[in-house]
Amino acid sequence: MSPQPVSTPIICPLCERPIPPAQRDAHHLVPKSRGGRHTEYLHRVCHRQIHALLNETELARQYATVEALLAHPQIRTFVDWVRTKPDDFFVATRKSTRLRRR
């Protein structure tokens, strides 16, 4: 009997935890509405946090890389917190007050 092939887990570039298939979201670094094509797989909770804090214009102009996203103070705080959670952790995300006012 031959051994089963081991698949390499996809790692979230924000929180650096393995992403279970059920929690995997493709994030356009530059939103599709702004001409973006490249995607990165993120944890669903990380992806939703990005969109709860930043609008599409901000994403396209200032936060179009993983490094830029991690430099955002609120995203950095979130990532530092979520890193301590299990890989399949999920919690509902609310839009920031700033984005809800628009």
Side-chain angles (χ1 to χ4, degrees):
M1 197 178 217
S2 62
Q4 291 284 357
V6 177
S7 62
T8 305
I10 295 176
I11 304 297
C12 179
L14 286 179
C15 69
E16 299 177 340
R17 298 175 301 141
I19 309 170
Q23 295 295 321
R24 193 176 299 156
D25 277 359
H27 171 66
H28 285 85
L29 292 172
V30 173
K32 282 173 53 174
S33 65
R34 303 289 195 261
R37 290 193 165 96
H38 179 74
T39 60
E40 289 280 345
Y41 281 116
L42 306 176
H43 273 103
R44 181 160 293 134
V45 69
C46 295
H47 187 216
R48 290 197 176 174
Q49 187 65 24
I50 289 168
H51 289 284
L53 294 172
L54 301 167
N55 64 39
E56 290 188 354
T57 301
E58 292 167 324
L59 286 169
R61 290 183 182 169
Q62 297 171 272
Y63 299 102
T65 66
V66 170
E67 295 76 19
L69 288 167
L70 289 170
H72 186 282
Q74 289 175 290
I75 290 177
R76 175 87 259 167
T77 299
F78 171 80
V79 167
D80 290 344
W81 171 77
V82 82
R83 255 190 196 142
T84 65
K85 307 298 182 217
D87 296 342
D88 61 351
F89 175 79
F90 183 79
V91 64
T93 306
R94 293 184 53 185
K95 280 214 181 270
S96 71
T97 306
R98 181 182 67 86
L99 291 181
R100 279 187 279 160
R101 282 189 245 150
R102 292 183 176 193

